């Protein structure tokens, strides 16, 4: 159609189904079990806690996959899918037994792999750092009362005496009297955990989302590794000596 | 002359019996309840869609045609507990409080019908937990002047007339979660009819229908739907009722307004669940006793859906009506007559 004959209001539908991201998503084993057509009934949206507060709609997720438009999929992988709380209410209520939550999970993995997730996940850098370095994902220190006005005024009062409360609560439990992490894991545990991060390739994956973070953490990890390995050698030598 | 055994005294069984008796056959009609008329009588259906005609005007003549025909022997409060033999020589044991008797029959018609879906299973709707969540069958009984509330629509919790009423479509239908992916085929028109009846009786009330699709395929149904919107200002919202909660003694429902793309909450005084059709208890029992094929949902499977719609998987055993799947009253009467013709044909050979 020539430019001048083009209807100024109505867009012509041109299918762009079958693009790279669409194919990657359809390859995932979960999709077949998670999408059996969609009645557009809205049960999922009505039950979805994310849809009540954010720009997210599980129904739209299903419709988007059915339509398969490449541009829309890319846009979703960069943004909206990260609003899902993975509560699976959609799955347990959908009259077609669809699971937008599973589709979202598959899309998130692909988004990470394809380098589309960095912007959406930037806010989670602190959490990722804590997981990589301490093995916890949340710490009492991270919950500043200003960020959670919905927790009410008592939150302000309580957060001023976090340390005292924890000491009282966890008296006799070593490792719990900390507020910069949920609990203090032993050095050797952290060393083992970080070894798993590295050898499983998880660290590399995290690096695609938080490249700077991994650079920082890597140094820390290398130091810890040297220290732990020296200590292991020392212990081994002692053991050998005692045998003789 | 051979006798025909008809199992089920609902509208289909009644029509089949009277048609066969008129052709000169002897009929034994076995009904498990102590009244005839099936679900129509059980739930005191008041008016029928789409003409808002009294249900009694339809069911009473059908019952009368059976009761007044001397060729029909009616066994109320009775069950068929065992059947042996093959076409055209069946022996059936009929059991009731007086005892058991065995009789010979040339053919058997199964017209055991459906049961209203029990919405207790859909826990998110709160049926059974919240008193003011009721089923469409219960509303039929309320609207009937001979029913429990003498024709008044009353909230079960406090006996007051509800002002805001929501109707949920497709309860236990088109739903894989409860194992019923099929359409109940009558919910849309029954809800529209009930909404009109409520608005006629209580013009100040607000009636909201939460639907996925309005499937108005029957005679005069689409016109009724138009009337509901134009003349009665009933509000149809495209979104399936998703959840019901109780907030400060007020029912609150959640749904998505799918056309406007937004989740909504709505406070109402009463919620009517348009519960669909499930295979009746009698149908499941009959299938077991007779050894005939059922489909995935418990309904009876015809030998061939297109070519032998009234024959079961066994020769000499015929099926008709809502035991084959969801069916409205109008079509059940057609089925009753059709099966009678088929039985008569088979007994002549």
């Amino acid at each position: 159609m020539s430019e001048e004959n083009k209807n100024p209001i109505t867009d012509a539908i041109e299918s762009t189904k079958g693009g790279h991201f669409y194919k990657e998503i359809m390859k995932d084993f979960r999709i077949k079990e998670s999408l059996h057509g969609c009645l557009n009934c809205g049960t999922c949206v009505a039950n979805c806690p994310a849809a009540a507060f954010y720009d997210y709609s599980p129904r739209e997720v299903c419709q988007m996959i059915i339509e398969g438009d490449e541009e829309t999929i890319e846009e979703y992988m960069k943004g909206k899918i990260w609003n899902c709380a993975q509560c699976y209410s959609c799955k347990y209520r959908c009259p077609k037994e669809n699971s937008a939550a599973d589709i979202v999970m598959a899309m998130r993995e692909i988004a990470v792999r394809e380098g589309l997730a960095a912007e959406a996940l930037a806010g989670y850098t602190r959490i990722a750092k804590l997981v990589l370095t301490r093995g916890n994902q949340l710490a009492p220190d991270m919950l500043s009362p200003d960020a959670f006005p919905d927790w009410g005024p008592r939150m302000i009062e309580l957060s001023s005496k976090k340390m005292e409360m924890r000491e009282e609560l966890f008296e006799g439990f070593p490792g719990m009297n900390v507020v910069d992490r949920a609990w203090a894991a032993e050095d050797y545990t952290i060393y083992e955990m970080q070894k798993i991060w590295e050898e499983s390739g998880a660290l590399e994956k995290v690096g695609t989302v938080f490249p700077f973070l991994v650079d920082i953490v890597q140094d820390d990890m290398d130091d810890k590794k040297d220290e732990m390995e020296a200590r292991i050698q020392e212990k081994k030598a002692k053991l050998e000596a005692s045998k003789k | 002359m051979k006798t025909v055994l008809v199992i089920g005294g609902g509208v289909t069984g009644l029509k089949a019996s009277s048609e066969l008796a008129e052709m000169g056959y002897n009929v034994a009609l076995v009904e498990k309840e102590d009244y005839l008329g099936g679900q129509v009588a059980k739930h005191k259906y008041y008016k029928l869609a789409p003409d808002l005609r009294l249900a009694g005007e339809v069911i009473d003549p059908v019952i009368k045609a059976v009761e007044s025909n001397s060729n029909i022997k009616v066994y109320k409060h009775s069950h068929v507990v065992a059947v042996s033999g093959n076409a055209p020589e069946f022996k059936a044991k009929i059991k009731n409080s007086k005892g058991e008797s065995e009789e010979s029959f040339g053919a058997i018609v199964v017209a055991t019908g459906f049961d209203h879906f029990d919405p207790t299973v859909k826990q998110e709707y709160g049926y059974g937990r919240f008193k003011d969540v009721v089923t469409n069958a219960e509303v039929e009984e309320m609207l009937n002047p001979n029913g429990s509330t003498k024709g008044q629509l009353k909230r079960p919790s406090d006996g007051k007339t509800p002002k805001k009423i929501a109707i949920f479509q497709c309860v236990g239908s088109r739903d894989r979660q409860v194992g019923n992916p099929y359409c109940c085929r009558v919910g849309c028109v029954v809800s529209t009819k009930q909404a009109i009846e409520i608005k006629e009786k209580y013009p100040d009330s607000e009636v909201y229908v939460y639907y996925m699709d309005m499937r108005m395929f029957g005679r005069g149904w689409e016109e009724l739907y138009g009337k509901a919107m134009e003349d009665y200002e009933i509000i149809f919202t495209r979104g399936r009722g998703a959840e019901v909660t109780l907030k400060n003694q007020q029912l609150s429902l959640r749904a998505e307004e799918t056309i406007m793309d937004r989740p909504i909450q709505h406070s109402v005084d009463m919620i009517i669940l348009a519960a669909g059709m499930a295979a009746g208890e009698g149908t499941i029992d009959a299938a077991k006793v007779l050894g005939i094929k059922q489909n995935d949902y418990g309904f009876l499977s015809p030998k061939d859906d297109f070519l032998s719609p009234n024959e079961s998987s066994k020769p000499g055993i015929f099926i008709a009506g809502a035991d084959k799947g969801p069916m409205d009253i109008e079509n059940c009467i057609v089925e009753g007559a059709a099966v009678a013709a088929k039985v008569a044909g088979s007994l002549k050979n």
Side-chain angles (χ1 to χ4, degrees), chain B residues 35 39 43 98 146 175 198 221 245 253 267 269 274 280 311 316 336:
Chain B
Y35 51 84
Q39 297 287 354
H43 294 286
K98 282 176 212 147
N146 300 322
D175 188 351
I198 292 168
W221 294 11
T245 47
L253 69 88
S267 293
D269 302 324
E311 289 168 53

Side-chain angles (χ1 to χ4, degrees), chain A residues 36 39-48 51-52 57 59-60 90-98, chain B residues 122 124 174-177 211-213 238-243 254-259 261-264:
Chain A
H36 314 97
L39 296 166
N40 261 323
C41 70
T43 303
C44 52
V45 176
N47 285 306
C48 176
S57 157
R59 180 167 66 86
E60 249 175 44
C90 48
K91 177 173 183 166
Y92 295 107
R93 290 280 168 86
C94 172
K96 280 284 193 185
E97 292 181 341
N98 293 339
Chain B
K122 292 289 288 177
E124 56 266 42
R174 304 178 70 192
D175 188 351
R176 286 166 63 134
Q177 296 281 358
Y211 72 98
M212 287 199 287
D213 308 285
R238 201 202 170 282
R240 191 170 182 149
E243 194 174 69
R254 279 175 185 275
E256 187 195 2
E257 219 299 18
T258 58
I259 291 164
D261 249 342
R262 55 180 183 149
I264 50 174

